[in-house]
């Protein structure tokens, strides 16, 4: 097991991962500046990655419980994880492996598909607002309102001036969320073109994976450069202080799981939610219980 | 580790647990006939219980994935776990430990609280219908429509004739669910009066548990006999072939977790959902992927 210079320090609490992975960190522009197979901090092989992820499960679960407990006493804070990425980039796998570490009763997961006729009859943020986490909850969006500036841009589903306006609408919306106590963690799962090919082929090869395959994925893959450009635009226009984007190298699943877990941990640790004090007379309750 | 006569055979696939735990099995009537600390089958100590539960996690996760996959090809089947029990009986713990074994993206969990004014303005099944799992999903109700014949009966929240009618409404509703492909698994987590006292005291003693304590729980505890009678009525009136009740001895958390896991496994194995065959030309897709 080898570590690059400074890598161990970063993972162990030197430079926070959120600084290293933040879109635009180090002056990077364009997705070409991000290597989807990079290991910018933390574990450097699969075994170490799995061990490092497993070590985060306990602290994550405890922080979630404290967040949930604090809400019972009026704390309105919550967290929203937004997952975006090309087909096969691992949005579903992240939910399974990373969110699977939490108590499911405190998680609110929504997978956004192509909008229904009812959803299309409303402003694009309507369905998103209905899916927000309540106080103390962890919300997870598998795809999100960003589809309305991603596929909508690539497929020209709306006039260009409407698309342009949406970036500003999204920024205002997310600023409002932040002011309302929502910590928004936006993660772009960055995979390479060849890695996507391999993952799609694997879905075809394995009978237990074929149900995940949609021939439409091949059409979308044909629009790869347009999608990369649409993502670049999102990272430029919508990575704000209130709700920054993180670019997670996702060619290696074990690294992706560790990195998203670590990003969540850093944000939850910053929130530092506390178990609320008793709002009742503990001794009196104890006496009543002993008596009855 | 000791096993009662026939116990190992039952756990290993002799008598299904669903037969042993089904309400009324063996001609039992009244909750007094059920020992909340019994170990009617399966593991007989904590270490064995944890190991047995851990061994179920893989099979449960695979069956869930197959159920979910089948739904993508039109299979409408799904499962609904209904959890009921007195305060501290472990409804939340069951969600955390048993449902936590599944992929959270395929679970739809609803904790039913005291009805809101909007909910009270609708028939009592209205909010329940909105929370049902979709095809391929596993739904979990932490409390349920049964509160409308439990606390509603104990607290006389509705006229007696309305309460009487609700048992029939519930049976008709659940029969409809079964006909629509919903496997309804209703679990009563049965704890003893002394065990509840100990659990409530533990919540008072531990600062990280106090947020779970509500002085109102002491009032409810004072109505213990009335609740037991209301549960007995539910088990008599609403344990049907379409949707039977299971009485899970819940004084031991490790046994409760194993038993609920095992009940879910038996039902999912009976459903035996299958990965759907490809609905597209696999070779043609492979060729396109290799080319592009």
């Amino acid at each position: 097991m080898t570590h690059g210079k400074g890598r161990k320090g970063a993972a162990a609490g030197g430079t926070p991962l959120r600084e290293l992975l933040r879109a635009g960190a180090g002056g990077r522009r364009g997705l070409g500046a991000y290597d989807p197979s990079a290991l910018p901090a933390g574990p450097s092989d699969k075994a170490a990655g799995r061990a490092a992820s497993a070590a985060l499960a306990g602290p994550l679960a405890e922080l979630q419980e404290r967040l949930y407990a604090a809400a019972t006493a009026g704390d309105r804070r919550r967290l929203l994880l937004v997952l975006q990425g090309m087909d096969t980039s691992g949005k579903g796998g992240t939910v399974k492996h990373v969110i699977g570490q939490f108590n499911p009763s405190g998680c609110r997961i929504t997978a956004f598909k192509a909008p229904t006729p009812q959803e299309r009859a409303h402003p694009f943020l309507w369905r998103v607002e209905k899916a927000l986490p309540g106080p103390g909850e962890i919300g997870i969006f598998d795809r999100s309102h960003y589809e309305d500036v991603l596929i909508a841009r690539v497929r020209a589903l709306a006039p260009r001036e409407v698309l342009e306006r949406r970036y500003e609408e999204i920024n205002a919306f997310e600023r409002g969320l932040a002011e309302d106590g929502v910590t928004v963690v936006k993660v772009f799962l960055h995979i390479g073109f060849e890695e996507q090919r391999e993952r799609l082929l694997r879905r075809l090869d394995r009978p237990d994976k074929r149900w995940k395959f949609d021939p439409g994925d091949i059409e979308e893959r044909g629009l790869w450069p347009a999608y990369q450009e649409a993502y670049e635009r999102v990272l430029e226009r919508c990575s704000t202080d209130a709700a920054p984007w993180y670019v997670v190298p996702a060619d290696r699943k074990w690294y992706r799981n560790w990195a998203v877990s670590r990003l969540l941990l850093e944000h939850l640790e910053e929130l530092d939610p506390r178990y609320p004090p008793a709002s009742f007379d503990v001794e009196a309750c104890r006496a009543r219980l002993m008596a009855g």
Side-chain angles (χ1 to χ4, degrees), chain A:
Chain A
M1 203 176 105
T2 56
H3 284 283
K5 202 178 174 189
R7 176 178 289 165
K8 197 157 193 173
T15 306
L17 194 65
R18 53 196 284 191
E19 287 183 25
L20 293 172
L21 298 188
R22 185 166 169 168
R28 286 187 281 195
R29 288 176 64 89
L31 280 180
Y34 299 89
D35 176 1
S37 64
L39 309 173
S44 53
D45 64 33
K46 190 171 183 173
R50 289 189 168 179
S53 290
L56 297 179
L60 283 172
E62 198 211 312
L63 283 159
Q64 179 201 17
E65 185 173 278
R66 280 160 47 187
L67 188 70
Y68 191 87
T72 64
D75 192 333
R76 285 184 53 76
R77 293 179 300 167
R78 51 226 130 116
L79 188 145
L80 173 63
L81 174 66
V82 173
L83 293 171
Q84 286 285 165
M86 299 294 288
D87 288 327
T88 76
S89 63
K91 300 181 290 294
T94 302
V95 173
K96 181 175 177 178
H97 295 287
V98 177
I99 302 307
Q101 302 173 100
F102 291 110
N103 183 333
S105 68
C107 296
R108 186 157 183 216
I109 304 168
T110 308
F112 290 97
K113 314 283 184 189
T116 64
Q118 191 200 24
E119 288 169 347
R120 270 200 301 273
H122 286 86
F124 77 104
L125 292 172
W126 178 75
R127 64 178 184 163
V128 172
E129 281 164 349
K130 290 199 305 169
L132 291 170
E137 289 185 333
I138 294 179
I140 300 96
F141 286 177
D142 174 349
R143 304 186 186 271
S144 67
H145 45 298
Y146 281 97
E147 291 297 325
D148 294 284
V149 288
L150 288 165
I151 190 170
R153 181 181 174 91
V154 171
R155 297 273 185 186
L157 303 179
R160 192 49 73 107
E161 62 270 23
V162 169
L163 292 171
E164 285 301 320
R165 209 159 52 221
R166 284 184 185 167
Y167 298 113
E168 296 308 318
E169 288 180 70
I170 288 173
N171 288 343
F173 169 65
E174 293 177 352
R175 194 163 49 242
L177 291 182
E179 283 164 8
D180 194 32
V182 184
T183 296
V184 186
V185 180
K186 299 184 297 194
V187 169
F188 171 56
L189 298 175
H190 184 35
I191 59 163
F193 189 69
E194 285 308 313
E195 179 67 19
Q196 190 194 50
R197 186 204 312 273
E198 281 173 38
R199 292 186 183 185
L200 287 171
L201 286 171
R202 214 169 306 141
R203 288 185 180 179
L204 284 179
D205 289 341
R206 289 181 48 175
D208 62 335
K209 298 277 184 205
R210 248 169 229 164
W211 63 279
K212 295 186 183 181
F213 188 90
D214 179 343
D217 297 348
I218 305 180
E219 322 280 336
E220 293 293 292
R221 177 172 167 79
L223 300 167
W224 184 277
Y227 271 106
Q228 299 292 295
E229 193 266 335
Y231 271 110
E232 287 177 349
R233 183 67 58 108
V234 160
L235 299 181
E236 275 165 28
R237 299 286 295 271
C238 297
S239 195
T240 61
D241 286 334
W245 271 102
Y246 301 100
V247 181
V248 168
D251 271 3
R252 292 178 175 94
K253 295 174 181 176
W254 58 266
Y255 189 80
R256 169 203 80 200
N257 289 341
W258 173 81
V260 178
S261 298
R262 176 85 205 167
L263 284 172
L264 292 176
L265 185 78
E266 289 178 3
H267 283 88
L268 287 168
E269 281 181 340
E270 187 183 51
L271 290 178
D272 194 23
R274 300 299 175 101
Y275 289 112
S279 58
F280 47 84
D281 184 334
V282 173
E283 282 315 312
C285 287
R286 200 190 316 268
R288 287 174 68 196
L289 276 171
M290 296 303 285

